[in-house]
Amino acid sequence: MLSSPASLARIQRIAATPGKRALHDLVSLPNQKPVVAYGPPGRSAVTGHVATVFGCTGFLGRYLVSKLAKAGTQVIIPYRDEDEKRHLKVMGDLGQIVSMEWDLRDENQIEECVRHSDIVYNLVGREYETKNFGFRDVNAVGAGRIADISAKSGVPRFVHVSHLNASQNTPSKFYQAKAEGEELVKDAFPTATIVRPGSMFGYEDKLLNNMAFWPIWWKLNHSETKIRPVHVSKVIVPKYTLVDRLAQVFDVAQALTNLISVPSFPRLVNLPGPSTLTYEYLLELISTVTYNPLSPAPTVPKAVALALAKVSQNIWWPTLSPDEVKRRYIDDSDVAGDWDAVGVVPDEIENHAITYLRRYRSSANYVRPVVLPPRAEQA
């Protein structure tokens, strides 16, 4: 149906009227470049920021892209496989998701991905080695290369995601490479922010899903290894207090998103989960939520697990690697969290376990209520 002339005139007047802006819509970047936001809040708005997310097709990357694009930020998504990035295209408004093919060893492609961005996130990481990329190639050398090219391209802000247990004094080559990557990033980009999240859980995680499917491999170290799981993505929950304000209960992806608007860019941000738990408790939690009995399988000795992991390296799809066996014996670092620096409050794993584990229930138990097991926080 055609609109009346009066309606068309009104639409033209609204379209021709510039939106009202306030002082907080103007942001000055560290390189003194202004960023101007406009439009109503939401995915149809424009924050004025352009962000590049390396590792956007990974577990954390897809949630970060979603939150950035939902706020109106233009996001550059470097990809290697065409099929792995298709689901990211619909996360933002028209023209806000820009995909670019890249290779970790091609400096020209990296430079093309960052040349127009005012913030670059490096989420690229590999928890197992392949014939083309080792731990150091991806987690250390690759991270340093991205940081160096970003600095030379004039990118004002750089965020590198490491791991809570990154350390040179550890038997795990993965954690060693993460620690080396932090140093290479800081050498190439001195003002970079290093983010160290704990083990993350969510829909596509390698924590709850693997524990529910292969509980035997989480009985290593007699299930006494301590872990500090943290949620990867969570919606805002309104909670009114005495001052009638919104209590922000978010996640790792939201913490990374908030770094865009943090006035003083922190140099190190540790993001552990709110509680320290053992693998034994998590296996019990999964059994309680799914109504599946605990696995009667005995604890596999470390030597046997390492031997089986080495044999499994001949399989073409990623399986349990020898380095991952070593990581199952390493407790998560007990450093304090820096959630306040990014305006985020982490949530407990019990509040979301049923969301990701219901699929492992039988049809008879699918709609049964959730009864969580009692626990005492591990010291």
Side-chain angles (χ1 to χ4, degrees):
M1 179 181 295
L2 296 177
S3 301
S4 64
S7 299
L8 290 175
R10 181 174 180 272
I11 294 175
Q12 291 174 353
R13 288 197 306 270
I14 295 175
T17 303
K20 294 182 179 180
R21 295 176 182 171
L23 184 60
H24 63 264
D25 292 326
L26 176 63
V27 178
S28 180
L29 299 177
N31 59 356
Q32 304 306 314
K33 177 183 176 181
V35 172
V36 181
Y38 61 90
R43 57 181 282 144
S44 295
V46 175
T47 63
H49 292 283
V50 180
T52 299
V53 181
F54 289 99
C56 58
T57 58
F59 176 46
L60 174 60
R62 66 187 65 188
Y63 295 105
L64 176 58
V65 171
S66 175
K67 289 182 178 295
L68 289 172
K70 185 178 180 180
T73 298
Q74 188 176 51
V75 186
I76 312 298
I77 53 171
Y79 70 94
R80 295 176 60 199
D81 191 339
E82 177 73 26
D83 293 335
E84 291 183 354
K85 58 91 176 176
R86 289 181 176 179
H87 62 284
L88 302 176
K89 188 67 176 179
V90 297
M91 291 183 176
D93 208 349
L94 186 64
Q96 291 296 85
I97 304 294
V98 181
S99 57
M100 301 185 68
E101 190 173 3
W102 83 299
D103 187 275
L104 185 60
R105 298 190 177 104
D106 193 324
E107 296 186 359
N108 292 328
Q109 288 183 333
I110 297 175
E111 196 275 336
E112 284 294 323
C113 292
V114 304
R115 60 183 302 187
H116 298 295
S117 300
D118 56 75
I119 185 170
V120 173
Y121 293 92
N122 177 36
L123 277 59
V124 178
R126 180 57 61 88
E127 294 185 348
Y128 56 91
E129 293 184 301
T130 64
K131 64 178 181 180
N132 295 323
F133 293 97
F135 288 127
R136 189 172 182 274
D137 297 330
V138 179
N139 301 318
V141 178
R145 182 179 296 118
I146 295 174
D148 181 61
I149 296 174
S150 298
K152 292 179 180 178
S153 300
V155 177
R157 296 177 296 178
F158 188 87
V159 179
H160 172 66
V161 177
S162 183
H163 193 280
L164 189 66
N165 293 340
S167 172
Q168 294 288 359
N169 302 319
T170 177
S172 169
K173 293 183 179 179
F174 170 75
Y175 291 150
Q176 292 176 10
K178 281 293 187 180
E180 182 182 359
E182 292 181 6
E183 297 303 321
L184 293 177
V185 167
K186 287 187 287 187
D187 291 341
F189 207 115
T191 60
T193 296
I194 307 297
V195 180
R196 293 177 176 174
S199 299
M200 293 177 286
F201 63 91
Y203 276 110
E204 310 88 357
D205 68 6
K206 296 181 180 179
L207 181 65
L208 293 179
N209 285 288
N210 280 7
M211 295 185 83
F213 199 76
W214 294 107
I216 185 174
W217 296 118
W218 297 88
K219 291 189 174 184
L220 298 174
N221 196 26
H222 301 283
S223 301
E224 296 176 356
T225 303
K226 297 177 181 178
I227 187 175
R228 304 174 72 182
V230 60
H231 202 186
V232 69
S233 182
K234 181 180 183 295
V235 297
I236 302 175
V237 178
K239 179 181 179 181
Y240 297 98
T241 62
L242 293 177
V243 294
D244 194 29
R245 63 182 177 87
L246 185 68
Q248 296 183 338
V249 184
F250 294 114
D251 47 37
V252 176
Q254 186 65 50
L256 295 177
T257 305
N258 290 354
L259 286 174
I260 287 184
S261 57
V262 172
S264 57
F265 226 44
R267 296 291 175 265
L268 177 63
V269 180
N270 292 308
L271 301 179
S275 299
T276 301
L277 310 171
T278 62
Y279 287 153
E280 180 181 15
Y281 172 77
L282 291 178
L283 289 172
E284 182 182 354
L285 172 65
I286 293 172
S287 175
T288 304
V289 170
T290 60
Y291 290 102
N292 295 327
L294 288 170
S295 173
T299 301
V300 179
K302 186 176 182 179
V304 175
L306 286 172
L308 292 175
K310 290 180 181 179
V311 172
S312 68
Q313 297 303 290
N314 298 322
I315 303 176
W316 68 269
W317 64 83
T319 58
L320 187 70
S321 67
D323 191 81
E324 190 171 356
V325 172
K326 297 177 182 179
R327 297 199 294 270
R328 298 284 169 86
Y329 288 79
I330 301 175
D331 293 338
D332 277 357
S333 174
D334 59 353
V335 297
D338 300 315
W339 295 98
D340 291 340
V342 289
V344 173
V345 178
D347 210 358
E348 297 286 357
I349 190 172
E350 290 90 344
N351 296 334
H352 307 279
I354 184 60
T355 304
Y356 311 122
L357 296 173
R358 189 183 294 275
R359 72 185 78 175
Y360 297 102
R361 285 186 174 188
S362 65
S363 58
N365 297 324
Y366 195 78
V367 296
R368 289 181 63 180
V370 179
V371 180
L372 298 176
R375 73 167 170 90
E377 186 170 320
Q378 305 296 320

